[in-house]
Amino acid sequence: MSFSLPRHVPTFDSSQRPLEDGYWGSSRRMHQNGHAPNGIGKSLGGLFDTKELPMYKDKPYSYAASQRQTPFLKRRRVWLAAILFFFGLLYYSGVFSRPAERPEIVRSKATSVWSWLKPSGVSKVDWSERREKVKDAFILSWDGYEQYAWGFDEYHPLTKIGRQMTPNGMGWIIVDALDTLMIMNLTSQLSNAREWISTSLDYDQDHEVNTFETTIRMLGGLLSAHYLSTTFPDMAPLTDDDAGKPGEDLYLEKAADLADRLLGAFDTDSGIPYASINLKTLKGKVSHEDGGASSTAEAASLQLEMKYLALLTGEKHYWDKAENVIRVIDDNGMQDGLLPIFIYADRGTFRGDTIRLGSRGDSYYEYLIKQYLQTSKEEPIYLEMWDQALAGVRKHLITYSQSANFTVLAERPRGLSQKLSPKMDHLVCFMPGTIALGATGGLPLFEARKSKQWGTKQEEEMNLARELTKTCWGMYKNTATGLAPEITYFNIHDPPHMEAHGVLSSSTDMSNTSEGAAWKSDYIIKSQDSHNLQRPETVETLFYMWRITGDEIYRDWGWEMFKSFVEYTTVEGGAGFTSLSFADQIPPIMKDNMESFWLAETLKYFYLLFSPPDLLPLDTIVINTEAHIFPRFKLARGLKTGWERKPRDAEGRIVRGEGEEVGNGVGRRRRIKDEEKRNGNGNGNGVGDTKVGEQEKEKVPAPVPVPVPVPVPQEEKEKEEVHKTIAHVET
């Protein structure tokens, strides 16, 4: 089906547009001097066509026109430009006020050029047709990237250029979208992507990358592609990855190579990974900000990927490194399972007191319940941690808005004993779906309720999930474009009404979106927070809620969201979709960037939301925080939980023996080393062969066994060198 440009795309005037082709050959990167105003310029004919097109469909990548032009040809171009300019003036004057007819859509005075965006009057919804619209949007995005920025890590659709994040590129967009291509059965596009990975992707680059982002997007994308291509051969089938073929293990080989490079980030005194890693030297780097501390969410959201890779390869050290991070974090014994958002890699202790489930905190909690589900519920330690954390959220962070009683998952910027902040990042909207997943294990609600483990606790959690989902949906309904801001604040009761004071629920009908709607007064959107980055968290939750409850309202909300993305973020010229710098006005202000998670997450979740529930059933898979699909599996090949939680009191704090100090042992070992060096006795390695060292050792109980290799003297020397380097950087 073909479409024209949406009515509300921002105006970008340019007198140079008719001459764009004449400048095409001047650069390998394609530039555009401007964009036509609303409804003007080349229409997006064929916008959602699904026919196969060659790479760089409109122009070859390095097209160069002949430098020898005859005068006649030159004059013809001049006349052509003049004619185009003349008809442009006629268009502006309204001569062509009657809309033109285009394939499959006839524009009339009473019909929008995006007629499918409005209700059709048909009582029965065809969800398969709506799913195809999502697929069309993905194809439009992919084709724009493939034409203008193929192989680049970033894509800027307004200027139609790409940019690399490392010298030779990481495959940031291509790898991140692999499993979406498979799920949508886009064989031709997948073939191009696989060919690029096979011939161009090389992670041996002398460059620092973010440990977390590289793990969840690149490692996660490769592992998901391996799983889907080997388990579901009918998904975008390619002969290259069939069993016995030379390319059968391409994705796994690339994943193992990348993971081996990422493991260098875990070489710290505590085992908490550095924020960054050099892919060539394998040396980790402390964060360049936040006092050198790593993000808690980033350090604790590497486990699903490393554990699955350990299962596939039989290499247990992937498992051990990732698992040890959770042990070190948990040994801090934070109150009610709620953690500050920064943690020092060298010490394994937290920095600051900020508690939130938005940026830098979110996926730690997400990965607790998902680790439990990943290993088929054979590691109950993670369910215990999830239950404790969720109880802490309900106790300290759940409050309600003043007018309509919307449920708000707030923050504690200065710690649990200090004032509540009624702020929700859009990132927090992953939580309702995750709560529902934890309550049911991924089973449909009617089946989960038959379980002997089902009770009041699970019913309360499902109610909390429903109410939080409604709050997140309200973020979309509250803006002019129907697209949520990055951050929302709320008017709440004073003093805050917490869940312990009584559960409140909102019966507000948000269908009234006029400026004076009473429910809107509960939402506060600041201008600096009103950008929309194509984030997936709300549609992710809608997907989980629909799959689990079967309530069609979540699909309806998702369809409204998808229509808003199409209407207000489409870039003309077939370039795809882009983020918004300001989403609360019409037309919105566009931001020249397509996030990789638009393809990897947002459109994937829309597609799954409108798909039948037997496509990737929730009780058979676990989805990482970048929407990459992994299987659930039983513990095997020597893989098992290698640690135990320390005893705790009713608030989750560790119950310590007499003389035992707070911490995980790293700080104590460092003090022993310093003491030995000052006194001139002992070996200076913290073992404590002096009386001072022995006395200190007696206060420390035997550590919990962790399945990591015992360091040899040479490894101790290397660790000491790393420690010196870190100290130098901090200085």
Side-chain angles (χ1 to χ4, degrees):
M1 183 174 288
S2 302
F3 298 95
S4 298
L5 183 68
R7 289 171 293 126
H8 302 300
V9 171
T11 298
F12 297 94
D13 296 299
S14 172
S15 61
Q16 300 299 314
R17 177 139 186 127
L19 304 178
E20 179 185 358
D21 287 353
Y23 296 99
W24 191 275
S26 63
S27 173
R28 286 175 61 87
R29 289 185 179 183
M30 305 171 195
H31 298 273
Q32 181 176 347
N33 295 319
H35 307 273
N38 291 351
I40 300 176
K42 182 179 180 181
S43 71
L44 294 184
L47 178 63
F48 278 2
D49 286 345
T50 58
K51 61 183 180 181
E52 298 298 328
L53 296 173
M55 194 181 303
Y56 303 108
K57 298 165 289 298
D58 297 331
K59 298 287 191 301
Y61 184 64
S62 57
Y63 172 81
S66 170
Q67 298 301 308
R68 296 186 178 183
Q69 307 276 351
T70 66
F72 173 76
L73 287 176
K74 290 182 179 179
R75 287 197 301 272
R76 187 170 65 177
R77 290 186 177 182
V78 171
W79 279 108
L80 179 60
I83 292 170
L84 290 174
F85 179 76
F86 174 76
F87 278 100
L89 290 177
L90 292 179
Y91 187 99
Y92 275 113
S93 66
V95 172
F96 302 117
S97 59
R98 183 178 179 179
E101 183 173 322
R102 290 184 173 85
E104 299 189 43
I105 288 186
V106 179
R107 297 176 61 181
S108 67
K109 294 180 180 179
T111 305
S112 168
V113 295
W114 294 81
S115 59
W116 67 268
L117 291 174
K118 294 187 176 181
S120 63
V122 179
S123 58
K124 184 175 177 58
V125 174
D126 186 343
W127 290 108
S128 62
E129 181 181 352
R130 291 184 172 184
R131 181 176 74 164
E132 288 304 302
K133 294 295 187 293
V134 177
K135 185 176 180 178
D136 291 339
F138 180 94
I139 292 172
L140 176 64
S141 301
W142 182 265
D143 285 352
Y145 167 71
E146 191 175 57
Q147 179 176 346
Y148 299 116
W150 182 246
F152 286 97
D153 295 325
E154 297 178 8
Y155 174 42
H156 306 290
L158 295 180
T159 50
K160 297 181 173 63
I161 61 173
R163 192 178 76 87
Q164 298 290 27
M165 297 165 53
T166 63
N168 300 319
M170 294 277 290
W172 206 251
I173 292 175
I174 294 174
V175 173
D176 215 9
L178 281 173
D179 54 0
T180 310
L181 291 168
M182 293 177 180
I183 291 169
M184 293 184 178
N185 204 32
L186 296 173
T187 307
S188 176
Q189 292 87 342
L190 178 63
S191 180
N192 290 340
R194 182 183 172 83
E195 176 67 18
W196 185 90
I197 291 170
S198 177
T199 59
S200 302
L201 182 59
D202 184 2
Y203 288 120
D204 188 25
Q205 301 182 52
D206 189 7
H207 197 87
E208 288 179 26
V209 298
N210 181 276
T211 305
F212 163 74
E213 296 288 357
T214 305
T215 299
I216 65 167
R217 300 193 197 206
M218 300 298 94
L219 182 58
L222 290 165
L223 291 173
S224 181
H226 172 78
Y227 167 60
L228 294 181
S229 65
T230 55
T231 308
F232 304 96
D234 292 334
M235 283 187 178
L238 298 177
T239 56
D240 290 347
D241 56 14
D242 288 348
K245 294 288 185 178
E248 176 185 4
D249 295 326
L250 173 65
Y251 302 130
L252 183 56
E253 289 169 357
K254 292 291 185 181
D257 173 62
L258 178 58
D260 288 341
R261 299 173 189 280
L262 292 169
L263 284 182
F266 293 81
D267 290 337
T268 65
D269 283 349
S270 70
I272 297 295
Y274 290 117
S276 300
I277 179 71
N278 186 297
L279 292 176
K280 190 174 186 68
T281 67
L282 312 186
K283 297 294 184 182
K285 286 282 188 177
V286 297
S287 174
H288 301 296
E289 49 190 22
D290 306 316
S294 298
S295 156
T296 301
E298 294 186 0
S301 303
L302 315 169
Q303 287 65 34
L304 296 181
E305 297 79 7
M306 290 294 181
K307 286 184 169 183
Y308 181 38
L309 183 60
L311 176 75
L312 291 172
T313 63
E315 298 291 340
K316 190 170 179 289
H317 61 282
Y318 297 127
W319 180 287
D320 294 339
K321 292 283 189 180
E323 180 185 63
N324 183 57
V325 174
I326 306 301
R327 179 193 67 81
V328 173
I329 287 175
D330 196 55
D331 280 356
N332 280 272
M334 301 309 295
Q335 181 181 351
D336 292 323
L338 301 180
L339 311 184
I341 60 174
F342 295 108
I343 187 167
Y344 290 108
D346 58 341
R347 286 167 277 184
T349 55
F350 291 106
R351 176 180 187 264
D353 300 306
T354 300
I355 305 291
R356 68 170 178 242
L357 271 75
S359 61
R360 302 184 182 278
D362 48 3
S363 50
Y364 161 74
Y365 304 94
E366 175 188 358
Y367 270 36
L368 291 180
I369 187 61
K370 288 185 176 180
Q371 285 184 84
Y372 172 65
L373 298 175
Q374 181 183 37
T375 51
S376 302
K377 304 181 180 180
E378 292 185 337
E379 295 185 280
I381 192 170
Y382 298 110
L383 176 62
E384 178 185 336
M385 295 175 70
W386 163 255
D387 283 341
Q388 181 186 22
L390 182 55
V393 167
R394 296 174 64 181
K395 177 180 178 181
H396 297 285
L397 304 180
I398 294 297
T399 187
Y400 303 92
S401 68
Q402 192 170 44
S403 175
N405 292 332
F406 290 115
T407 300
V408 178
L409 205 170
E411 301 180 357
R412 296 276 183 177
R414 294 180 178 82
L416 296 182
S417 62
Q418 300 301 312
K419 187 177 179 180
L420 191 77
S421 172
K423 167 179 172 282
M424 280 182 69
D425 295 350
H426 185 274
L427 289 164
V428 178
C429 289
F430 84 94
M431 192 61 173
T434 305
I435 292 172
L437 178 66
T440 63
L443 290 171
L445 184 57
F446 74 90
E447 288 188 22
R449 281 173 169 159
K450 299 175 184 177
S451 169
K452 294 180 180 179
Q453 286 73 41
W454 191 268
T456 302
K457 171 179 172 293
Q458 287 75 18
E459 287 290 352
E460 290 176 351
E461 289 173 359
M462 285 302 304
N463 183 65
L464 176 60
R466 291 187 186 93
E467 292 298 322
L468 281 173
T469 303
K470 188 174 184 179
T471 301
C472 291
W473 171 232
M475 296 179 183
Y476 286 77
K477 297 290 286 183
N478 205 48
T479 67
T481 61
L483 296 173
E486 182 73 357
I487 298 171
T488 302
Y489 290 82
F490 292 86
N491 283 315
I492 62 173
H493 298 276
D494 187 17
H497 183 103
M498 307 301 292
E499 186 183 279
H501 304 147
V503 175
L504 302 179
S505 60
S506 174
S507 58
T508 300
D509 179 7
M510 290 184 285
S511 60
N512 179 10
T513 57
S514 63
E515 279 299 318
W519 67 270
K520 281 193 167 187
S521 64
D522 282 352
Y523 288 78
I524 303 172
I525 302 175
K526 300 180 180 180
S527 59
Q528 66 267 28
D529 301 327
S530 64
H531 47 289
N532 180 283
L533 302 182
Q534 305 172 301
R535 288 202 184 275
E537 288 76 23
T538 298
V539 66
E540 172 187 352
T541 273
L542 295 180
F543 162 68
Y544 279 111
M545 293 300 290
W546 175 71
R547 281 285 185 96
I548 289 169
T549 68
D551 192 336
E552 292 280 327
I553 193 172
Y554 300 117
R555 294 177 115 184
D556 294 335
W557 291 353
W559 179 243
E560 292 299 314
M561 287 170 52
F562 175 68
K563 289 194 297 182
S564 293
F565 275 117
V566 169
E567 186 162 8
Y568 296 109
T569 71
T570 306
V571 179
E572 79 160 12
F577 298 83
T578 193
S579 303
L580 300 179
S581 294
F582 195 83
D584 199 17
Q585 70 176 40
I586 297 176
I589 301 174
M590 286 188 166
K591 178 182 175 68
D592 189 15
N593 190 56
M594 183 195 78
E595 297 287 350
S596 75
F597 52 69
W598 167 249
L599 303 179
E601 297 188 75
T602 308
L603 290 176
K604 181 187 295 167
Y605 279 125
F606 276 126
Y607 188 82
L608 292 173
L609 175 62
F610 304 148
S611 295
D614 59 355
L615 176 60
L616 301 173
L618 280 182
D619 59 339
T620 64
I621 60 171
V622 65
I623 305 175
N624 89 336
T625 197
E626 187 71 8
H628 293 311
I629 316 295
F630 303 153
R632 299 192 189 188
F633 58 85
K634 297 281 188 179
L635 292 176
R637 308 186 74 173
L639 303 177
K640 61 181 180 180
T641 310
W643 66 289
E644 297 178 356
R645 300 191 80 193
K646 294 181 178 180
R648 291 154 201 275
D649 62 20
E651 290 189 336
R653 295 191 178 94
I654 293 176
V655 177
R656 307 183 187 279
E658 184 177 354
E660 184 180 357
E661 300 180 37
V662 176
N664 53 33
V666 176
R668 293 193 295 273
R669 289 196 297 272
R670 180 174 294 164
R671 284 197 304 279
I672 293 171
K673 292 180 185 180
D674 294 342
E675 188 86 27
E676 290 171 347
K677 290 176 181 178
R678 284 197 300 271
N679 294 335
N681 50 20
N683 57 18
N685 63 8
V687 173
D689 60 348
T690 66
K691 290 184 179 180
V692 173
E694 292 295 341
Q695 292 170 358
E696 188 73 21
K697 282 176 63 182
E698 291 173 1
K699 297 180 183 179
V700 183
V704 177
V706 180
V708 295
V710 177
V712 297
Q714 180 61 33
E715 291 175 328
E716 286 293 325
K717 291 180 181 179
E718 292 174 354
K719 287 187 176 181
E720 184 67 17
E721 290 302 317
V722 173
H723 168 64
K724 291 178 181 178
T725 302
I726 296 171
H728 175 71
V729 172
E730 289 179 339
T731 302

